[in-house]
Structures are given as C-alpha cells and as structure tokens.
Amino acid sequence: GKDRTGIIDTIVPFNPRADAVELLIDGEVVDTYRAGAASPEAKRLRKSKSAKTASLEWDETQSANISYNVQVSTDDGLTWQTIGVGRPTPDIKIDRNQFAPNTKLTVRIIATDGFNSRVVKTETISVS
C-alpha cells in the first residue's frame, strides 16, 4: 500500500560483535543501520564568542553515522546538563545568558556511532 512514516521503539539486547541493525517487515529487510567504521573522536576544539553565544567546533572522525551529545557542568563535573543530543555536525552554540557571568563551564563531548559511545573531549571554558 501507501508508504507510511513511523517510529520504532524497542530494546535490542547488547551484542559486542554487532555492527548493524536490520529492520524487517514480514521477514523482508526494509532498512539497515550500520555502525561507523572508525572509533569516534573529537580533536582540535576551537572556541569563539559573540554577545549572546559561546561557540564550539571540533574536528570530527571521518566516518559515517557519527553523532555527538554535548553536556556542560558548572560544578567541575559533579553534575551534567545536556545541551545537545544527536548532533550530526561537530559544533554547538551555547547561550551564555543561561549562566551567571564569569561561570566556568566544563564541556563534555560524547561521540557515538549508534553502537559505541565514548567521551572524546572534556574542556573548561568561560562564558564571561
């Protein structure tokens, strides 16, 4: 019939050797998601500021299917606030008005290929 769009919500048992997930409908593979070929990384973190934002950019792993989650901490990493989820590009803008003047933010970048994830960069910046 007609194509339909939907969301699939499931829990897949962990298999450390898995490198792909296939979606089957009536036994037929209709889509495949593959893990990235390289271990996720983030190198050369660059910072810039404007009146309202602090921008971060980094060099990414040259691999398909890598996305980034970004978290910030105002207490040296005791607690974390997520400010970016599933970012397909290696950059983020932080609204400086969310934080008190002269706040030191610890920024944590987590890279994932959908199967594996790791903290690839942690750095402290000032939002003053």
Side-chain angles (χ1 to χ4, degrees):
K2 236 171 118 176
D3 285 348
R4 295 181 295 180
T5 300
I7 296 174
I8 298 170
D9 183 13
T10 188
I11 296 173
V12 178
F14 178 71
N15 180 341
R17 297 178 306 179
D19 63 359
V21 173
E22 295 179 335
L23 174 62
L24 287 82
I25 297 179
D26 294 329
E28 182 182 338
V29 176
V30 295
D31 200 5
T32 302
Y33 180 87
R34 297 196 184 288
S39 180
E41 291 185 60
K43 298 177 183 175
R44 291 185 354 108
L45 186 67
R46 296 176 299 283
K47 303 167 246 182
S48 62
K49 295 179 189 175
S50 71
K52 293 185 179 183
T53 63
S55 297
L56 299 174
E57 295 180 3
W58 55 91
D59 293 343
E60 65 181 325
T61 301
Q62 297 301 312
S63 178
N65 297 332
I66 301 293
S67 64
Y68 300 94
N69 300 325
V70 181
Q71 299 177 320
V72 295
S73 174
T74 57
D75 56 13
D76 293 321
L78 293 174
T79 60
W80 295 95
Q81 175 185 353
T82 302
I83 61 168
V85 176
R87 296 195 55 78
T89 58
D91 58 12
I92 192 158
K93 291 184 186 208
I94 300 170
D95 183 351
R96 295 170 9 153
N97 295 322
Q98 292 180 191
F99 305 98
N102 300 318
T103 299
K104 296 280 187 203
L105 287 181
T106 304
V107 180
R108 176 164 72 181
I109 301 167
I110 303 165
T112 182
D113 64 5
F115 291 86
N116 304 294
S117 63
R118 70 183 181 122
V119 175
V120 293
K121 192 73 171 175
T122 303
E123 189 151 331
T124 301
I125 65 170
S126 174
V127 293
S128 60

